Amino acid sequence: MTAESLERPLGIPSDRREWRDGRTPSADRARLVLRTAREEDLPELLRLDREVFQDVAYPGFLLRQMWDMYAEHFLVLDAGEGRLRGYVLAATTTPALGLDSWILGLCVARDRRRRGLGRELMTEIIARLRRDGVARVRLTVEPANRAAIRLYRSLGFRPEGPDAGLRPDYFGPGMHRLVLGLPLTPAEG
Ligand SMILES: CC(C)(COP(=O)(O)OP(=O)(O)OC[C@H]1O[C@@H](n2cnc3c(N)ncnc32)[C@H](O)[C@@H]1OP(=O)(O)O)[C@@H](O)C(=O)NCCC(=O)NCCS
């Protein structure tokens, strides 16, 4: 695996389409930087994760240890002045186990949604995983989470296993999840 950090201003998308709320993309988006997470991001990551996931947010110690292990596949949307507006985190098994990855976290701050940022995070992490030789990415999603399911399906994720990927009580009683997967073909060159 490579250990390359990322820092890329998002700028204005090439198609320059209007956002659904009628605003132009430039104001929001041009200020955001997509980059690998840093140790000093951890308090803000914890805040963002709690804001979005509330009672199912990661505890601080786990978020920290996931950064310890997976920093190069932990990407954030940096809005400047110490504020983060989204993140994606992928955890990868060892080569001996065939380099599979799980997306363990994806979110965009509520007031920044539907501007292509979730897609940007996912597209970048998938590209990095492919480049790093990962053969398959999997994730779980709440069956009622239409927004996330549509995003994942549009990126090529498909249900894994029987019952259209539905795994009752996957995270404990009543916490059902769909398991979706995406095979990755090796990157060229
Ligand atoms: C899921 C999430 C990350 C999407 O982020 P986003 O920046 O709003 O998504 P995008 O603007 O990039 O949209 C990408 C696609 O997702 C789908 N989508 C996003 N929001 C949607 C909504 N409210 N309703 C239906 N589809 C939606 C669409 O297919 C969209 O493609 P389109 O713009 O071409 O129609 C965001 O809604 C979120 O943070 N939700 C809370 C946390 C969460 O559920 N995380 C996933 C856990 S598995």
Side-chain angles (χ1 to χ4, degrees):
M1 297 233 279
T2 57
E4 217 174 278
S5 61
L6 168 79
E7 182 149 352
R8 168 164 72 79
L10 284 191
I12 302 169
S14 53
D15 61 2
R16 283 178 158 265
R17 66 180 177 167
E18 294 285 315
W19 304 128
R20 279 170 182 74
D21 60 9
R23 281 184 293 161
T24 53
S26 50
D28 266 357
R29 188 171 165 124
R31 280 194 287 273
L32 288 175
V33 173
L34 177 58
R35 62 167 174 80
T36 31
R38 302 172 187 143
E39 188 169 9
E40 59 267 29
D41 292 328
L42 287 168
E44 171 66 359
L45 269 167
L46 187 60
R47 184 204 62 76
L48 175 65
D49 201 57
R50 284 184 176 154
E51 177 189 292
V52 173
F53 293 105
Q54 299 178 11
D55 56 333
V56 290
Y58 283 125
F61 74 88
L62 187 56
L63 210 53
R64 206 242 125 77
Q65 294 253 264
M66 290 198 293
W67 180 81
D68 288 336
M69 288 191 293
Y70 307 116
E72 73 185 87
H73 291 155
F74 204 152
L75 308 181
V76 297
L77 289 170
D78 184 345
E81 298 174 349
R83 298 302 264 185
L84 301 179
R85 298 300 183 217
Y87 82 83
V88 64
L89 164 67
T92 300
T93 60
T94 64
L97 297 175
L99 281 188
D100 270 8
S101 261
W102 284 86
I103 302 293
L104 296 188
L106 168 73
C107 74
V108 170
R110 191 176 290 278
D111 64 349
R112 302 294 174 105
R113 291 184 193 160
R114 302 240 67 181
R115 290 159 171 76
L117 299 176
R119 187 182 297 285
E120 196 82 52
L121 286 165
M122 283 300 294
T123 303
E124 183 66 41
I125 199 73
I126 289 168
R128 289 172 75 80
L129 293 172
R130 178 181 280 120
R131 184 201 64 191
D132 293 345
V134 168
R136 182 171 57 155
V137 193
R138 283 183 283 174
L139 54 84
T140 68
V141 58
E142 236 186 302
N145 190 343
R146 278 186 51 237
I149 292 170
R150 278 191 60 181
L151 169 60
Y152 298 142
R153 289 197 70 98
S154 75
L155 292 166
F157 283 85
R158 295 293 177 261
E160 287 212 337
D163 302 322
L166 180 62
R167 305 282 295 271
D169 304 326
Y170 190 78
F171 283 138
M175 298 174 79
H176 317 317
R177 289 294 183 273
L178 295 178
V179 176
L180 308 182
L182 174 71
L184 298 182
T185 50
E188 287 176 20

